[in-house]
Amino acid sequence: NAETEEAVRRSFKQWIEGLQLPMPEQVPYMDDSFGDEFVDRKSMSEELQQKFDGPVHLAYNSKAGEAEDAPPRVHIMPYPAMDRGTVFTPTLEGF
């Protein structure tokens, strides 16, 4: 969670680089109902655009699927959002 979209994107980039996780090709927007995904703010209603002017929540999954080569998935939602919590399940080599 962050106060602005810019802050969450900056933090996300640092986090991904620091942990050497795969960067998704795009970071789409999603409404709080998980019903609609938007590539950019211009494609959403003005009311939804205003929700992204405040605090936002970012959800990231480095392997969004069961396949070993599944691409990473991420989305930005207005905060507070319906999904809550953090699940971090790294695969550690040698254990």
Side-chain angles (χ1 to χ4, degrees):
N1 302 326
E3 291 296 319
T4 65
E5 178 185 345
E6 180 182 337
V8 82
R9 286 182 184 272
R10 184 176 51 250
S11 297
F12 175 63
K13 185 174 187 264
Q14 292 171 349
W15 187 74
I16 291 293
E17 290 172 355
L19 293 174
Q20 299 178 353
L21 293 170
M23 178 64 90
E25 291 183 24
Q26 61 181 349
V27 181
Y29 299 90
M30 185 169 284
D31 66 357
D32 193 31
S33 70
F34 295 99
D36 294 309
E37 189 174 277
F38 304 91
V39 176
D40 57 36
R41 291 175 69 149
K42 292 182 278 185
S43 59
M44 61 180 78
S45 70
E46 191 172 316
E47 179 184 350
L48 187 54
Q49 286 180 37
Q50 290 175 359
K51 289 183 179 183
F52 284 99
D53 288 339
V56 294
H57 168 79
L58 185 135
Y60 172 79
N61 185 339
S62 62
K63 292 191 177 189
E66 297 299 320
E68 188 65 31
D69 61 347
R73 290 276 298 149
V74 64
H75 59 266
I76 295 176
M77 298 186 315
Y79 182 83
M82 285 177 30
D83 70 331
R84 295 275 190 239
T86 301
V87 177
F88 185 63
T89 54
T91 301
L92 303 175
E93 294 184 22
F95 290 92

